[in-house]
Amino acid sequence: MKIVIAPDSYKGSLSAKEAGLAIERGVLRAGIGNVKTSVIPMADGGEGTLECLMEFSKGRMVRAVVKDPLGRDIPADFGILSDGRTAIIEMAKSSGLYLLEESERNPLLTSTYGFGQLIAAALDEGCRHFILGLGGSATNDGGAGMLQALGVELHDSGGRPLPAGAGGGALGEVAGISAERLDKRLAGCTFTLACDVTNPFTGPRGASAVFGPQKGAAPDMIDRLESNLVRFADVIREATGTALHRLPGTGAAGGLAGGILAFLNARLEPGFSIVSAVTGLEAAVKGADLVLTGEGRIDAQTAGGKTPAGVAGLAAKHGVPAVVLAGSVGEGIEELYGQGVTAVFSLVNGPMTLEEAMRRTPELLEQTAEQVMRVFAVRK
């Protein structure tokens, strides 16, 4: 019996690889005949994408010192594939929400400047092709900080340069933008943006309205962030002819995707598709008897390109049942059943606090995987 185990990370608890190994232990603990397991850690462009891609490549990791979302120096890693020309950069490593204490979350202040520094560091290493993971951001600056780190200049109405890395709040002062000093090496580069959302730059489904609250934005702050992004988009349209306002996907990572698309040779691609291609997931799923996947929370957003939906879709393509093991189950999961998900199981098996559930995730994953295997064996 062939079992493919392809989870995402369980944020705050386990990496995708650690989760996969915990599920594997549960599968084997069920003691169901001759079972062969394949553990394939997955990601969809968010946190863990770098590790997943490097796990299946023969490249190397590089460390650089960059600015965190609030401008403090931190070490951040990126990967270079074996061709020596392709960089894997996860924006969360430099500009991620997980880098901040809850009390520090303020998208008026946070910036993507450090992410731009990582791109520059990869250029210094000779990279000219980039795969960028855009999930897990702490920012809402439309990529302004990143662009500044790469040489783009922002000006106020008096022609004065805006401070580098000032955050989403400073965009209200933007009146002009110049790419004359943009790093010349970027002209020969290509960028693939690993993205799992289709939200536009602005509007009711835009970066500020949808993702601002999880980054610490109160309602009045969201209005200001939205107004600032509209202004930034207007300035970009005047300078480049590119209208980001309603362009699908440009709202990813607080509008970072929009900033990249406007000034760099970039294209958006579902993060899951990028990772699954590198890991060879489809080849592993073909001919399997069961696929197990999961992540920390399953809800209505999962169907929009998150890892469990992508894994289940590949399983359905080859007629293989797919079971999702979720840290928590929210509303709106019904759509997943039409995308190939056979069943969703919550790890929480009794009353417990969130802290306890996160602490016990390895144990709970093992237990749940074992029970799924026992049910599956009866079905077989």
Side-chain angles (χ1 to χ4, degrees):
M1 187 183 302
K2 180 183 176 183
I3 311 296
V4 173
I5 301 167
D8 204 324
S9 63
Y10 289 68
K11 289 186 177 66
S13 300
L14 297 174
S15 68
K17 183 176 183 178
E18 291 168 337
L21 293 175
I23 294 171
E24 182 182 48
R25 290 193 296 270
V27 167
L28 297 178
R29 196 167 69 186
I32 309 299
N34 182 22
V35 174
K36 180 181 179 181
T37 59
S38 296
V39 177
I40 304 176
M42 290 299 300
D44 53 25
E47 295 170 44
T49 298
L50 171 62
E51 286 76 9
C52 284
L53 291 176
M54 296 306 290
E55 176 84 15
F56 289 88
S57 74
K58 296 181 180 179
R60 60 189 176 95
M61 296 290 281
V62 179
R63 175 160 292 183
V65 176
V66 301
K67 299 296 183 182
D68 80 350
L70 292 175
R72 301 169 296 204
D73 286 339
I74 59 167
D77 295 332
F78 64 93
I80 301 178
L81 298 185
S82 57
D83 63 3
R85 303 278 290 177
T86 303
I88 311 296
I89 305 179
E90 189 177 301
M91 76 88 61
K93 295 292 185 184
S94 59
S95 309
L97 194 62
Y98 82 97
L99 296 172
L100 303 178
E101 300 293 337
E102 188 167 349
S103 61
E104 295 178 321
R105 297 178 181 180
N106 185 341
L108 291 174
L109 302 177
T110 51
S111 166
T112 54
Y113 191 87
F115 182 58
Q117 290 179 302
L118 280 180
I119 293 174
L123 288 171
D124 292 341
E125 292 285 335
C127 295
R128 295 298 180 266
H129 308 293
F130 295 79
I131 298 174
L132 307 180
L134 300 187
S137 79
T139 59
N140 203 95
D141 72 347
M146 174 212 67
L147 292 171
Q148 288 175 309
L150 295 174
V152 171
E153 296 180 342
L154 306 180
H155 302 98
D156 63 17
S157 58
R160 295 176 292 270
L162 293 182
L171 295 182
E173 302 299 320
V174 175
I177 188 166
S178 171
E180 289 185 7
R181 297 186 181 180
L182 182 66
D183 194 313
K184 302 302 182 186
R185 296 174 294 181
L186 293 167
C189 296
T190 60
F191 293 82
T192 300
L193 313 186
C195 174
D196 64 354
V197 302
T198 58
N199 303 74
F201 203 69
T202 60
R205 293 190 62 255
S208 304
V210 175
F211 304 116
Q214 70 191 42
K215 302 173 185 182
D220 59 335
M221 189 186 298
I222 292 173
D223 291 340
R224 182 178 169 190
L225 290 168
E226 171 69 6
S227 175
N228 289 358
L229 279 188
V230 169
R231 184 184 183 95
F232 192 39
D234 289 344
V235 171
I236 289 175
R237 180 174 56 191
E238 184 177 343
T240 69
T242 300
L244 299 176
H245 306 69
R246 298 291 186 267
L247 196 61
T250 54
L256 172 61
I260 295 172
L261 288 170
F263 288 92
L264 304 178
N265 180 21
R267 61 186 175 89
L268 288 166
E269 186 172 329
F272 174 80
S273 298
I274 295 172
V275 177
S276 62
V278 172
T279 61
L281 177 64
E282 183 167 5
V285 166
K286 188 176 182 180
D289 295 288
L290 175 66
V291 173
L292 298 175
T293 184
E295 63 180 351
R297 180 174 174 80
I298 304 296
D299 55 27
Q301 294 188 35
T302 306
K306 299 288 187 180
T307 292
V311 173
L314 285 181
K317 178 180 177 181
H318 296 285
V320 181
V323 173
V324 177
L325 310 182
S328 65
V329 180
E331 297 181 355
I333 67 169
E334 294 77 18
E335 187 176 345
L336 292 170
Y337 301 133
Q339 295 186 347
V341 172
T342 305
V344 177
F345 286 79
S346 172
L347 304 186
V348 179
N349 56 11
M352 65 181 70
T353 63
L354 175 61
E355 291 74 16
E356 181 184 0
M358 294 178 68
R359 175 174 54 82
R360 294 178 56 194
T361 297
E363 167 198 346
L364 296 172
L365 266 176
E366 286 186 41
Q367 291 177 357
T368 308
E370 178 182 354
Q371 297 310 310
V372 169
M373 277 302 298
R374 291 184 180 279
V375 172
F376 183 72
V378 172
R379 174 183 177 274
K380 292 294 285 186

